[in-house]
Amino acid sequence: MRFKKNSYVNVEGKQDAGRFYILKEGQVQISKEAEIVEEDTGNILYPGDFFGVVSCMSNHPSIETAKALKDIAVVCVYRDQFNLLIQKHSPVAMKIITSFSHKLRYFDSAITRLSFKGNVEENPLYLYNIGDYYLKKKQYTHAFYALKKYLQYSPNGEHVPQAKQLMVKIQPHVNEEMFTRSQQGFNRHFRDNEIIFSEHEPGEELYIIQKGKVKITKIVNNNEVLLAVLKPGDIFGEMAILENKPRNATAISYGEGELLSVSKNNFEIMVKANPQLGTKLITLLSERIWKAYRQLANILISDPLGRMFDMLLTVVEEHKVPISHNARYSFDFGPEELVNMVGYPQDKGTLLIQKLFENKKFILQDGKIVTTDLEELAKQVDFYKKMEILDRKRQKMMSKS
């Protein structure tokens, strides 16, 4: 396909995003409503780069606008052609996967920085802090794991003497068999509540859940935050092996589990031999990036009530529910949960919930939030986003003057 200079190939919010593009000639500029700073990879794309993959493979509305800076030529790939593309051109899949891993790190870092007013870069030296946290919580097996990894990866760290003393102290409370048993081939077996890997630990494998569930957690501001509960078929741990950086979260078995491990060395070979693996991983990363971007966009809405409406719309879009006039939708949570989702204290949240229910299209039924008109929800979000854009423009003009 060819597009003239200054034409729009893709527009943020576009619903039908069943294809993506690989740039063949020219240059394309990518922009987003929730732009904090230019992404590390830059917002100008050149031949060989791609765009629109996130929305295409996650089957969600587009999260970016693509504008032709010159006359351009693109290769258009439809969702159902993806397996064939990977089969014939596995380097394309690897480029997309690596790029997505990098993009997800960027979004996660931005969300942590904005939500928790701080961001700790992953570093094996911090494994001692993880061990100390679990020790104070009397979770001795988790503490032992983190301290053992600290000694392994930071043999000259300043806390080595303390780590050794603590390990001796808690050793009687720990079943060391789980740290010494061998794992054969690609299969990994985990007992209930066992650490698979810890944040800040260097990563060497990604995992595909064959049986059981896995909790993904992160310690933020001295609290363990539950990020996700993964189920059979899900993939996790991919970012560490693709970017050669330490883990940015902890994985803990939730019940007994069987995992299939894929190492750095055999990952590309497996993607080439099994295109479905590449497609599944890219689909998974697309879904995660879409969610992270929507979360980031939500944080950047300054009006608290606007953030609540936007969070409700995000849940609707996440479940791929069509937006239409007088379409009713029942959320599976109540006001208190909504307040927690946007990160407000309950006293402030109560007043906001009262304002939300002043709109007669939103009601409380059996303790759950219900909207009687999804189109009204979308209109509310559109209003607050437009107000946000106008406010940013005013602030920019004032700073220039």
Side-chain angles (χ1 to χ4, degrees), residues 142-252:
H142 291 1
F144 193 89
Y145 178 96
L147 293 171
K148 186 179 177 72
K149 293 295 181 181
Y150 170 73
L151 293 177
Q152 179 183 343
Y153 293 112
S154 307
N156 300 314
E158 62 173 310
H159 298 296
V160 164
Q162 297 97 308
K164 288 179 177 178
Q165 288 173 9
L166 290 173
M167 286 178 72
V168 170
K169 184 178 177 181
I170 64 178
Q171 201 164 11
H173 305 282
V174 174
N175 177 10
E176 285 194 76
E177 182 190 334
M178 66 178 62
F179 299 108
T180 56
R181 69 175 187 268
S182 61
Q183 302 276 15
Q184 297 298 319
F186 298 119
N187 296 310
R188 300 285 183 270
H189 174 78
F190 289 92
R191 298 173 183 173
D192 181 36
N193 198 34
E194 191 174 335
I195 287 188
I196 298 162
F197 57 71
S198 170
E199 58 181 299
H200 303 299
E201 176 184 348
E204 297 175 353
E205 298 173 316
L206 67 80
Y207 298 94
I208 305 169
I209 304 176
Q210 306 287 81
K211 176 185 172 186
K213 295 180 181 179
V214 173
K215 293 188 295 185
I216 304 297
T217 68
K218 188 177 183 67
I219 296 172
V220 181
N221 294 340
N222 213 33
N223 282 304
E224 189 173 22
V225 179
L226 178 64
L227 301 178
V229 177
L230 307 179
K231 58 188 185 303
D234 284 342
I235 299 171
F236 65 98
E238 72 290 334
M239 286 198 290
I241 78 159
L242 293 169
E243 293 208 299
N244 200 28
K245 288 184 177 181
R247 307 286 189 184
N248 68 345
T250 297
I252 303 170

Side-chain angles (χ1 to χ4, degrees), residues 17-20 51-60 77-83 85-86 96 100 275-276 278-288 290 320:
R19 63 189 184 188
F20 70 91
F51 57 96
V53 182
V54 169
S55 303
C56 173
M57 296 309 291
S58 68
N59 199 19
H60 283 303
V77 183
Y78 287 85
R79 191 182 298 120
D80 59 3
Q81 298 173 318
F82 204 78
N83 270 352
L85 174 72
I86 293 176
I96 292 173
F100 276 14
Q276 288 81 7
T279 301
K280 184 173 180 60
L281 185 52
I282 288 170
T283 302
L284 174 78
L285 290 172
S286 296
E287 188 72 31
R288 286 191 194 164
W290 183 87
K320 301 179 173 68

Side-chain angles (χ1 to χ4, degrees), residues 277-306:
L277 175 62
T279 301
K280 184 173 180 60
L281 185 52
I282 288 170
T283 302
L284 174 78
L285 290 172
S286 296
E287 188 72 31
R288 286 191 194 164
I289 289 170
W290 183 87
K291 286 182 185 177
Y293 176 73
R294 289 294 281 116
Q295 189 178 350
L296 186 57
N298 183 268
I299 291 168
L300 293 176
I301 297 173
S302 56
D303 190 290
L305 187 56

Side-chain angles (χ1 to χ4, degrees), residues 111-130:
I111 289 166
T112 303
R113 187 171 67 250
L114 291 167
S115 299
F116 305 108
K117 311 304 178 190
N119 187 24
V120 178
E121 189 71 23
E122 293 82 22
N123 190 322
L125 289 170
Y126 292 120
L127 282 162
Y128 178 82
N129 300 33
I130 304 298

